[in-house]
Amino acid sequence: MFQKNTTKPSRDPAASACISRADLPAWVFAKPEPEAPATTPHDAADATDKLLTRAEAARYLRVCDRTVSRLMRTGQLPAARIGRAVRIRQSDLLDMLNGKPSISAGLSACRE
């Protein structure tokens, strides 16, 4: 399938002539994509609004899943129900750790 090239490179100066622009493919002349702009403060807030499952939040806090469920039930950790799944914003988790007050709507009766 592959053939080995057994010819030696030529030492002839004509063989090492410069490559003309027409011989090069178009991608050689393509301009690089501009770099992404620097992040702004509102982008940093969006980065922490990642949704976590109860197990991921428990792993982050290094506690049991039941502890996270109890924190949600007592209203200390706000969470949202999406279908049957319960999701916790990472920013809400960090706010709880920093001692900011939170509001949990309607999850006190939820049982998982």
Side-chain angles (χ1 to χ4, degrees):
M1 186 154 107
F2 294 104
Q3 296 178 356
K4 186 175 181 182
N5 187 2
T6 58
T7 61
K8 292 185 179 180
S10 174
R11 300 237 181 222
D12 182 22
S16 62
C18 294
I19 299 173
S20 69
R21 191 175 175 111
D23 295 335
L24 296 174
W27 63 265
V28 172
F29 303 107
K31 293 185 179 181
E33 301 246 348
E35 293 184 23
T39 58
T40 56
H42 71 276
D43 291 339
D46 291 341
T48 60
D49 277 346
K50 192 169 102 172
L51 293 176
L52 304 173
T53 63
R54 188 181 49 208
E56 291 170 340
R59 202 172 318 127
Y60 182 82
L61 296 173
R62 295 183 182 181
V63 296
C64 180
D65 290 351
R66 288 176 150 187
T67 303
V68 174
S69 295
R70 183 177 44 82
L71 290 171
M72 291 186 316
R73 196 171 43 251
T74 60
Q76 295 174 340
L77 180 61
R81 183 175 288 283
I82 303 170
R84 288 181 148 185
V86 174
R87 297 291 181 254
I88 302 158
R89 279 196 185 104
Q90 188 173 2
S91 60
D92 291 338
L93 188 65
L94 295 174
D95 288 346
M96 184 201 71
L97 290 175
N98 292 334
K100 295 181 181 177
S102 62
I103 299 171
S104 182
L107 286 179
S108 60
C110 110
R111 184 174 173 193
E112 294 184 50

